[in-house]
Amino acid sequence: MTELSGGPSLSQERRVVTAIPGPKSQELMARKQAAVAGGVSTTLPVFAVRAGGGVVEDVDGNSFIDLGSGIAVTTVGNSAQAVVRRASAQLEQFTHTCAMVTPYEVYVEVCEELAKLTPGDHEKKSALFNSGAEAVENAVKIARAYTKRQAVVVFDHAYHGRTNLTMALTAKNMPYKHGFGPFAPEIHRVPVAYPFRWPTGPENCAQEAAEQAIDKITKQIGAENVAAILIEPVLGEGGFIEPAKGFLPAIRQFAADNGIVFIADEIQSGFCRTGQWFACEDENIVPDLITTAKGIAGGLPLAAVTGRAEIMDAVHGGGLGGTYGGNPVACAAALGAIETMRELDLNAKAKRIEEIMKGRLTALQEKFDVVGEVRGRGAMIAIELVKPGTKEPNPEVTAAVAKHCHQAGVLILTTGTYGNVIRFLPPLVIGEDLLNEGLDVLEEAFAGLK
Ligand SMILES: Cc1ncc(COP(=O)(O)O)c(C=O)c1O
């Protein structure tokens, strides 16, 4: 498994050799609690020492099947060879000059790749940043500078980050916004086409949601005041919601008709995660601006705004940037990650993961009536859990299933506005046996529910 990383001796297996968390993790957790702010919480309280392919190994020698990828980041696997090779070479050359002081080639190369890979054949430019939230903030700045308008339209269940502006753009109060206001003004929230929970049923969802969203924009905000409409083509933290087909094209068209910059936030859904380079390709959406991060650089912090050259160039010199934005080591890692995605055809890999997971999870849904819906695309798949015979959210069972999986050596994540969604984000290089074993454990968790 050297090709996949984590070092040649990292075996691709699930292995539980202590109670979870083990003694060494418990010791480290005591130190964490003494030294690290309580707001930085932990999903699975074990301390990682190595990771690669489809596993994360902890200090006690336990090896977890990784169905989370560090929240959709290690798409190419941890320490993927090409990422390590390119980033290491860059570390030897120089670590920082500041792209705004003396630029360097890898920054430009990443922007050239983004121009090629993102949807649309128009002239494109990019700017690089450190985190997803920073990319979203900058996309809004760029859209405002271009349109000379202020309002920004976002959607129910949206998640865009934890900085002040992106908290305002995010829908869910707890834990993201609670106690942190006041928030930035001129943010307006409209309905999204969430088929599973649409009051008049999934078949009416796309049209009715688009009508309601557009009505709110035109009547309450005024389309001529709107700088940007910002949407995740598959909503991530909101619960892996795939807007009903037809909704995104309707909103995209409305933006085009009204001189509004359409921004696709592909920070979680981008870079092969859904079986396409970008999730908005699914309905042939060409955004004006697209934000990326997470999967772009194989685990190093890098983010980007990419878009129409005339929009990107609307900002005055010095108006975009930051000390570390487009750090050379992170850029080199991104080139390694993109090389890996191409060489291993990770879009095909994501589709294969979807095939396996949808098959297994649909069978699970037939067996266990708490599974309300199986949804998602590629390696961005979720199940929404409900009280049997209803659509009432079931966060208790969600937490119990996650706990069982963690104890048994499978790292899964939960999400959703109602805390009742289990999301699966395996690295795209995970072995099929390992993936199936992870799903066996998930099934055991459901079978053991009281
Ligand atoms: C769609 C989306 N936008 C923005 C962000 C924020 O990215 P970051 O945590 O890198 O700031 C996230 C992170 O989960 C995300 O999923």
Side-chain angles (χ1 to χ4, degrees), residues 18 51 81 106-107 114 137-138 145-146 175 180-181 193 245 290 294 300 307 337 418 430 445:
T18 68
Q81 268 201 344
V106 278
Y107 188 116
L114 284 163
E137 290 241 2
N138 279 280
Y146 176 72
F180 300 143
K245 295 275 182 259
I290 182 163
K294 290 189 183 279
L300 277 83
Y418 312 106
I430 193 170

Side-chain angles (χ1 to χ4, degrees), residues 146-169:
Y146 176 72
T147 58
K148 303 193 169 45
R149 304 172 180 178
Q150 293 186 357
V152 179
V153 171
V154 288
F155 293 82
D156 286 338
H157 308 289
Y159 180 84
H160 298 290
R162 294 171 181 268
T163 57
N164 187 266
L165 176 59
T166 58
M167 277 192 292
L169 299 167

Side-chain angles (χ1 to χ4, degrees), residues 70-73 130-136 158-163 166 170 176 230-238 240 264-269 291-294 301-303 380 423:
I71 320 187
V73 171
N130 303 294
S131 69
E134 213 188 331
V136 172
Y159 180 84
H160 298 290
R162 294 171 181 268
T163 57
T166 58
T170 289
Y176 308 123
L230 168 65
I231 191 162
E232 299 154 84
V234 177
L235 286 82
E237 306 300 302
F240 285 18
D265 180 347
E266 295 251 15
I267 285 163
Q268 191 154 166
S269 57
T291 54
T292 52
K294 290 189 183 279
L302 189 73
M380 188 172 183
R423 57 169 156 177

Side-chain angles (χ1 to χ4, degrees), residues 211-409:
E211 279 169 10
Q212 288 177 19
I214 289 168
D215 189 65
K216 190 160 178 198
I217 296 169
T218 51
K219 301 296 184 305
Q220 297 182 26
I221 315 165
E224 65 280 15
N225 298 316
V226 178
I229 297 178
L230 168 65
I231 191 162
E232 299 154 84
V234 177
L235 286 82
E237 306 300 302
F240 285 18
I241 302 164
E242 287 180 274
K245 295 275 182 259
F247 178 77
L248 287 173
I251 299 293
R252 203 280 163 263
Q253 189 58 49
F254 175 79
D257 293 344
N258 290 278
I260 298 169
V261 175
F262 182 90
I263 308 172
D265 180 347
E266 295 251 15
I267 285 163
Q268 191 154 166
S269 57
F271 281 102
C272 305
R273 181 49 62 186
T274 63
Q276 290 173 299
W277 281 98
F278 297 97
C280 59
E281 291 167 41
D282 192 57
E283 288 187 275
N284 298 316
I285 304 285
V286 178
D288 297 312
L289 300 181
I290 182 163
T291 54
T292 52
K294 290 189 183 279
I296 189 176
L300 277 83
L302 189 73
V305 182
T306 302
R308 292 183 189 281
E310 68 274 18
I311 302 179
M312 294 297 294
D313 279 340
V315 177
H316 49 275
L320 301 177
T323 305
Y324 296 113
N327 168 272
V329 182
C331 286
L335 296 172
I338 293 167
E339 177 188 319
T340 308
M341 290 173 198
R342 285 202 180 98
E343 277 186 4
L344 301 183
D345 191 0
L346 291 190
N347 280 320
K349 206 56 217 296
K351 289 194 177 119
R352 174 71 187 139
I353 289 172
E354 173 177 348
E355 194 183 340
I356 294 171
M357 293 202 71
K358 285 261 180 88
R360 296 279 315 257
L361 296 173
T362 308
L364 200 76
Q365 184 181 22
E366 279 157 20
K367 249 165 112 175
F368 301 102
D369 51 9
V370 287
V371 181
E373 189 177 53
V374 178
R375 59 177 179 249
R377 298 204 292 273
M380 188 172 183
I381 303 284
I383 49 178
E384 177 156 357
L385 304 184
V386 292
K387 307 251 159 87
T390 73
K391 287 197 175 175
E392 202 186 321
N394 201 336
E396 298 81 16
V397 159
T398 310
V401 169
K403 189 167 174 208
H404 176 103
C405 290
H406 293 168
Q407 297 295 321

